[in-house]
Amino acid sequence: MNKTILLAFIFIQTFVAAQSSEKNLSSESWQFKNSKDQKWLPAKVPGTIHLDLMNNKVIPDPFRDENEKKVQWIENEYWEYHTRFNITQKELENQHADLVFNGLDTFSEVYLNGKLLKKTDNMFRKWEIPVKDLLKKGDNDLRIKFLSTVEEGKKRAKQVPFTMPESPRSFVRKAQYQFGWDWGPRLVTAGIWKEVKVAFWNTAKVENIKIEQKDLSDKNADLNIHALILAEKEGKYTFTINNKVNTVKLKKGENRLNLPFTIQNPKLWQPNGWGEAYLYDMKFSLHKDSDLLSAEEMKVGLRTIELVQQKDAKGKSFYFKVNGNPLYIKGTNWIPADSFSPRIPKEKYQKLIRDAKEANMNMIRIWGGGIYEDDEFYKACDENGILVWQDFMFAGSFYPADDAFVTNVREEVKDQVSRLQNHPSIALWCGNNEIDEAIVNWGYQKQFKYSKNDSLQVWKDYKKLFHEAIPNALKENLTADKNIYWPSSPSIGWGHKESLTEGDSHYWGVWWGEQPFEIYNEKVGRFMSEYGFQGMPTLETTKSMFSGTPDLSVQNPTIKAHEKHARGWEIINEYMKRDYNIPADFVQYNYVSQLLQARGMQIAIEAHRRARPYNMGTLYWQLNDCWPVVSWSSIDYLGNWKAFHYEVKRGFESLLISVAETEKSYDIYLMNDLLKGFNFDLKLELIDFKGKKLWENNKSGEVKTNTSEKILSLNKADLGQFDLSNTVLKMSSGHEVQIEKLFFFKKPKDLKLSKPTIKIKRISPAEIEVSTDVLAKDVYLIGDTHFSDNFFDLLPKTSKRIILSKPLKKIEVMSLWDTGKK
């Protein structure tokens, strides 16, 4: 993609159509059984086979203890679901009746009243089946047989003359993470995972509405409303957009309308940090004579976005321009919020997106090994000003490209793009996660002894899918203003020099390469779309791994089973040894592992932001978890903020001071992501850990809009007289710019800390004040509540006020001094 692509974007959210006639089959009484068995058990729809087995106490909770191992047999079985539903004479009199499955997981056979209607083979597709002639008055019998996805995948793998990595998962259109990842369990599901209904309609129905933004100015937003309508008979109809009535002539069959609509004096949808994510209400309705055939309410967001890639002296830029201004991207990567996605409540989506907003993020990348997320996810992003980088669901493997597979993928893209394209949050469609890199870097060809022709076939299939099939499907199903496509993330693997000079980068020299955190200061690309480090979940979530009384020990088999990276503990310990004292106590070890993760990510985030405009985006791996686990997440499975998320909030502030150490100096940068400049009056104080001021300096100036700028250098020689292991540099600016930053010159384990006396004063039931007599490093407040700040540094004779999400009688406190050698 060599040219700048402009996306003038509109959002539409479809609510229940007025005058529509639907029978919700999800609420019927469902049963399920193993195909080998005779006994039926009660089931819930939407759901999964694992949840139904758990609810019937056939299997233990696989998230607890080492139970994951005990449920692996489920993926090899065939399962059946069954319900009966009543159809009235009035419902039978409708001209059309369609059986609609929004999600079947994955290989299934659908039977209605004993007749095979459909065979399905894609978890991500919507299946709409005409059933008017098969329905009968009274009871109707619906049965779905699910085949083993693993067995079906193996059959398809045998049809390829060479071994494909990650077989059989890459042969099935299903959430890839369910086959196990280095942060998630292997739980290969089956079942009716989304809503199912019978939809009745007469005369005509609106199939789809796409809103194209043709032009956007201060005065007008000029839109084209593209409506796909199926008509039972030709004739004159009226299609109303808000109060504007359009008379249209429809022919029998499929009709595509293209109607202009203007919003005057438009308010823009702004990303988080730049203003309000403003949404318009709109109403659409279709009439025939005086009959209302359908009505939909929608929300519309107006904004423009470009992905800018221009050659320069150092390579090629990669940044997003939103509403005409370059936007520095601050955000994260998203994985499914549960291994069993049907049970994720709307409230969890809303909370996680609010947590991202509160941490000053403006983008989330939906990783390609999960699912196309629930409507509630995108709704929350729209409302909170969070842009979405949307991967298609392909990750870390080779994929076939035979005609049947490609056709299946094209229909999948059509279904998902039609559902999602009008959200203002969607910023980019990306073909896959790490497949280009896997082909080039990961050595599968050598491992599986590929011939030259085998390797050529892999590339041919790759290009057919990601450079032909998917972009062609986007062109067919998107309005031109919405079509920003990027074939693979990253564009170049992290071992190659070019990965840091163009495109987006996944830098894994830290963790996978076991490079020190400080390497982040050197390995800065144009757009960092993945990087990360593991940390333990909170104590509450760690305890939830156990079905009984938790035995909190790193050597406990349950805790070991909830670390999915083969060398995870070894790598954590190696990094911990470099920067911290390794505690023997488990609670302290849990605490330090979180500090370690937060420290590494702070170094990365600040290095990326200082490098602006060379670097224009930082998306860390990862926001959330799908089960209780030791992982790269900043928020654990139960929704608790780890130390990392508190650090993210600080590191993503719109105004930030950062210090870069060089051979001879400490360079101080001031970053401003806002669309206005400020005057600053920076005060620098060198303070020892008991509160004595040793040195001070001042710097005044102006910070320009939307920039990162070095404002001062401190010569190391000038600080040589001080014991820097016992001092902290406090940088603060008042007046027009209110910011503060503490910088420590040494690694945490080399700091000469004294025992702090930390006092907690209650201001109100939900507010406390924390104070200390000497420096308290990494103050950790422990209790069953959410603290507005935590894992923070507190200077001597200062205090900090903290808001609690709910009152707490007892609050325990810990600091880094507690973990040191006494």
Side-chain angles (χ1 to χ4, degrees):
M1 205 160 58
N2 295 319
K3 64 181 180 180
T4 299
I5 305 176
L6 175 65
L7 175 61
F9 201 98
I10 291 294
F11 157 54
I12 170 178
Q13 182 188 348
T14 303
F15 292 90
V16 177
Q19 299 296 318
S20 66
S21 177
E22 294 181 352
K23 181 175 288 291
N24 180 7
L25 301 188
S26 302
S27 59
E28 298 289 338
S29 177
W30 284 87
Q31 296 178 310
F32 82 103
K33 72 180 183 71
N34 191 316
S35 293
K36 297 175 181 176
D37 298 336
Q38 298 298 316
K39 184 181 179 183
W40 291 90
L41 297 170
K44 289 184 179 179
V45 172
T48 73
I49 186 60
H50 293 76
L51 293 177
D52 288 327
L53 290 168
M54 270 192 280
N55 290 337
N56 285 278
K57 304 189 184 309
V58 177
I59 62 169
D61 185 345
F63 285 12
R64 296 182 183 270
D65 306 320
E66 296 180 80
N67 292 339
E68 178 198 355
K69 300 174 185 176
K70 300 176 181 178
V71 301
Q72 293 306 304
W73 59 274
I74 296 169
E75 68 182 37
N76 298 310
E77 301 297 316
Y78 286 33
W79 301 95
E80 296 183 26
Y81 281 76
H82 170 259
T83 192
R84 287 190 177 90
F85 61 94
N86 184 268
I87 291 291
T88 65
Q89 181 60 39
K90 185 177 180 181
E91 288 169 331
L92 278 180
E93 290 169 0
N94 285 285
Q95 294 171 340
H96 295 273
D98 298 323
L99 181 60
V100 182
F101 293 95
N102 285 315
L104 291 171
D105 179 14
T106 292
F107 293 93
S108 78
E109 297 173 353
V110 179
Y111 295 85
L112 179 61
N113 294 327
K115 180 178 175 59
L116 175 62
L117 293 183
K118 192 79 176 177
K119 292 185 178 182
T120 76
D121 57 358
N122 191 322
M123 177 180 179
F124 305 124
R125 285 177 61 182
K126 178 180 180 179
W127 306 96
E128 196 163 349
I129 311 164
V131 293
K132 163 73 174 171
D133 295 337
L134 287 173
L135 292 176
K136 59 184 181 180
K137 183 181 177 181
D139 280 350
N140 288 258
D141 186 273
L142 179 61
R143 185 175 299 208
I144 300 99
K145 296 182 179 180
F146 289 96
L147 287 63
S148 164
T149 300
V150 172
E151 293 302 315
E152 291 300 309
K154 288 177 180 177
K155 290 177 185 177
R156 285 156 175 75
K158 288 178 181 178
Q159 297 172 10
V160 177
F162 50 88
T163 302
M164 294 273 269
E166 304 295 340
S167 289
R169 75 166 170 85
S170 56
F171 288 89
V172 297
R173 294 310 301 139
K174 178 173 176 61
Q176 304 285 274
Y177 81 110
Q178 295 180 351
F179 293 83
W181 225 265
D182 54 9
W183 38 258
R186 183 180 176 104
L187 295 167
V188 184
T189 61
I192 307 167
W193 76 291
K194 289 196 172 186
E195 296 286 346
V196 53
K197 64 184 179 182
V198 179
F200 303 99
W201 64 279
N202 299 284
T203 311
K205 71 168 180 174
V206 178
E207 279 277 270
N208 182 255
I209 294 176
K210 300 175 185 178
I211 302 184
E212 179 182 14
Q213 186 175 291
K214 297 296 291 184
D215 189 51
L216 180 63
S217 67
D218 292 340
K219 293 184 178 180
N220 293 314
D222 294 325
L223 315 176
N224 276 346
I225 311 300
H226 300 272
L228 175 61
I229 298 176
L230 293 183
E232 178 63 24
K233 61 180 180 179
E234 69 175 36
K236 286 187 178 181
Y237 295 74
T238 56
F239 187 79
T240 303
I241 308 170
N242 282 1
N243 296 318
K244 183 181 179 182
V245 177
N246 301 273
T247 300
V248 297
K249 186 174 182 179
L250 302 182
K251 67 179 188 294
K252 181 177 171 62
E254 188 174 278
N255 297 264
R256 296 182 183 274
L257 303 184
N258 181 9
L259 302 170
F261 187 80
T262 298
I263 296 176
Q264 296 180 336
N265 304 313
K267 292 184 179 180
L268 296 183
W269 183 94
Q270 294 283 13
N272 184 35
W274 278 6
E276 182 183 1
Y278 190 85
L279 298 170
Y280 284 90
D281 291 315
M282 291 186 70
K283 296 180 180 180
F284 298 82
S285 60
L286 179 67
H287 293 78
K288 175 64 173 166
D289 301 324
S290 59
D291 294 331
L292 175 62
L293 303 178
S294 67
E296 296 179 359
E297 293 185 8
M298 307 174 182
K299 289 188 178 290
V300 174
L302 305 173
R303 53 93 164 144
T304 64
I305 185 164
E306 301 171 62
L307 173 60
V308 182
Q309 296 186 84
Q310 295 174 334
K311 289 185 178 180
D312 55 32
K314 296 180 179 179
K316 189 189 293 183
S317 68
F318 189 104
Y319 69 93
F320 292 91
K321 186 182 284 188
V322 178
N323 295 329
N325 296 298
L327 175 67
Y328 189 88
I329 296 297
K330 299 176 291 189
T332 185
N333 286 260
W334 171 281
I335 66 168
D338 202 302
S339 288
F340 309 123
S341 55
R343 73 174 174 186
I344 303 170
K346 290 182 177 182
E347 292 77 13
K348 186 166 188 176
Y349 282 113
Q350 288 286 346
K351 180 185 181 300
L352 284 167
I353 301 305
R354 284 197 306 271
D355 288 345
K357 180 180 182 178
E358 189 176 340
N360 303 300
M361 298 185 202
N362 55 31
M363 180 177 275
I364 290 176
R365 172 178 174 246
I366 297 184
W367 168 75
I371 60 174
Y372 303 96
E373 275 300 342
D374 187 85
D375 290 343
E376 193 69 21
F377 172 91
Y378 302 96
K379 177 176 179 286
C381 288
D382 294 336
E383 293 168 347
N384 288 282
I386 306 296
L387 293 165
V388 174
W389 170 314
Q390 177 67 61
D391 278 7
F392 289 101
M393 294 300 116
F394 302 86
S397 183
F398 302 169
Y399 287 82
D402 56 89
D403 289 347
F405 192 87
V406 170
T407 298
N408 201 356
V409 169
R410 287 175 67 90
E411 291 300 314
E412 169 187 325
V413 172
K414 177 183 177 181
D415 286 352
Q416 295 301 332
V417 165
S418 296
R419 178 173 71 98
L420 300 176
Q421 66 171 299
N422 295 307
H423 288 275
S425 51
I426 300 284
L428 181 74
W429 308 95
C430 180
N432 67 75
N433 172 78
E434 295 185 347
I435 296 177
D436 187 304
E437 180 176 12
I439 294 172
V440 175
N441 276 7
W442 294 0
Y444 283 135
Q445 294 89 332
K446 183 177 180 181
Q447 178 184 343
F448 295 118
K449 298 181 173 60
Y450 280 17
S451 68
K452 184 178 180 179
N453 285 338
D454 295 340
S455 295
L456 288 172
Q457 186 63 46
V458 168
W459 267 117
K460 183 179 178 182
D461 290 346
Y462 174 82
K463 289 179 179 178
K464 187 175 180 181
L465 265 181
F466 301 109
H467 289 267
E468 296 175 22
I470 291 178
N472 288 341
L474 291 178
K475 188 175 180 180
E476 292 169 8
N477 294 287
L478 288 172
T479 54
D481 56 305
K482 300 187 182 78
N483 196 354
I484 294 183
Y485 177 66
W486 186 238
S488 185
S489 180
S491 47
I492 302 169
W494 66 266
H496 299 270
K497 178 183 176 183
E498 294 79 12
S499 70
L500 298 178
T501 62
E502 61 182 87
D504 70 311
S505 305
H506 293 191
Y507 181 69
W508 287 103
V510 170
W511 185 266
W512 284 99
E514 298 184 51
Q515 293 291 311
F517 288 144
E518 288 72 22
I519 198 72
Y520 279 131
N521 293 313
E522 303 172 28
K523 303 294 186 180
V524 178
R526 309 311 291 261
F527 191 101
M528 307 302 290
S529 50
E530 264 195 38
Y531 59 91
F533 194 86
Q534 282 195 353
M536 291 195 73
T538 60
L539 289 171
E540 178 194 5
T541 301
T542 303
K543 291 174 182 177
S544 78
M545 299 174 183
F546 296 82
S547 57
T549 303
D551 174 14
L552 297 181
S553 164
V554 174
Q555 301 305 318
N556 184 282
T558 290
I559 290 179
K560 281 188 172 183
H562 288 75
E563 161 62 273
K564 285 299 184 178
H565 190 282
R567 296 184 55 243
W569 293 114
E570 180 184 343
I571 294 172
I572 290 171
N573 283 328
E574 174 57 34
Y575 276 87
M576 192 180 292
K577 185 171 63 178
R578 297 173 189 175
D579 288 3
Y580 292 87
N581 295 308
I582 301 180
D585 175 76
F586 181 85
V587 173
Q588 292 184 7
Y589 183 91
N590 176 283
Y591 161 64
V592 173
S593 84
Q594 292 190 53
L595 295 180
L596 178 70
Q597 180 189 29
R599 171 176 162 77
M601 296 301 93
Q602 175 199 15
I603 292 170
I605 287 170
E606 292 192 18
H608 299 162
R609 292 190 65 184
R610 287 195 304 266
R612 178 181 183 158
Y614 181 84
N615 171 273
M616 283 299 290
T618 180
L619 302 174
Y620 68 84
W621 184 267
Q622 67 210 53
L623 177 69
N624 57 319
D625 284 323
C626 66
W627 75 318
V629 65
V630 181
S631 83
W632 292 266
S633 71
S634 62
I635 300 176
D636 67 26
Y637 174 69
L638 295 184
N640 300 306
W641 288 25
K642 295 157 70 169
F644 179 14
H645 203 77
Y646 286 100
E647 190 58 52
V648 167
K649 181 179 179 180
R650 299 177 198 118
F652 281 168
E653 287 283 359
S654 294
L655 296 166
L656 181 70
I657 302 171
S658 179
V659 180
E661 182 178 359
T662 69
E663 184 179 352
K664 295 183 179 180
S665 66
Y666 296 101
D667 295 340
I668 299 173
Y669 288 75
L670 187 54
M671 282 85 89
N672 175 20
D673 292 336
L674 300 174
L675 295 178
K676 59 180 179 179
F678 295 93
N679 293 316
F680 67 87
D681 184 9
L682 189 67
K683 183 178 182 180
L684 297 95
E685 301 170 274
L686 197 66
I687 304 170
D688 72 16
F689 291 171
K690 293 185 178 179
K692 182 180 179 182
K693 188 186 296 183
L694 306 174
W695 169 93
E696 68 177 307
N697 197 356
N698 293 279
K699 174 73 175 181
S700 298
E702 179 186 1
V703 56
K704 297 175 183 176
T705 176
N706 224 358
T707 58
S708 168
E709 185 177 351
K710 182 169 72 173
I711 59 172
L712 184 65
S713 286
L714 301 180
N715 196 314
K716 283 186 173 180
D718 295 339
L719 301 177
Q721 60 182 302
F722 304 110
D723 179 4
L724 298 183
S725 62
N726 189 36
T727 53
V728 59
L729 179 64
K730 178 186 177 183
M731 298 160 284
S732 58
S733 178
H735 307 300
E736 194 174 4
V737 177
Q738 299 283 338
I739 45 177
E740 182 175 303
K741 177 77 169 183
L742 300 180
F743 175 77
F744 293 88
F745 298 91
K746 301 295 181 180
K747 291 186 174 185
K749 71 175 182 180
D750 297 324
L751 297 175
K752 296 177 180 176
L753 300 173
S754 302
K755 182 178 181 179
T757 301
I758 301 172
K759 295 182 179 179
I760 297 177
K761 177 183 176 182
R762 294 190 181 273
I763 306 301
S764 72
E767 185 176 6
I768 60 173
E769 185 177 77
V770 186
S771 60
T772 180
D773 56 341
V774 299
L775 173 77
K777 187 85 176 73
D778 300 312
V779 175
Y780 176 29
L781 302 171
I782 307 171
D784 182 22
T785 190
H786 174 74
F787 298 97
S788 60
D789 199 4
N790 211 342
F791 303 93
F792 53 83
D793 301 323
L794 199 57
L795 289 174
K797 302 175 180 64
T798 65
S799 63
K800 178 186 279 285
R801 290 200 172 190
I802 305 293
I803 304 298
L804 283 61
S805 62
K806 63 180 180 181
L808 202 63
K809 288 185 178 180
K810 182 181 180 184
I811 299 173
E812 297 182 50
V813 64
M814 183 185 299
S815 73
L816 190 63
W817 181 87
D818 294 297
T819 70
K821 297 176 181 177
K822 309 300 189 288

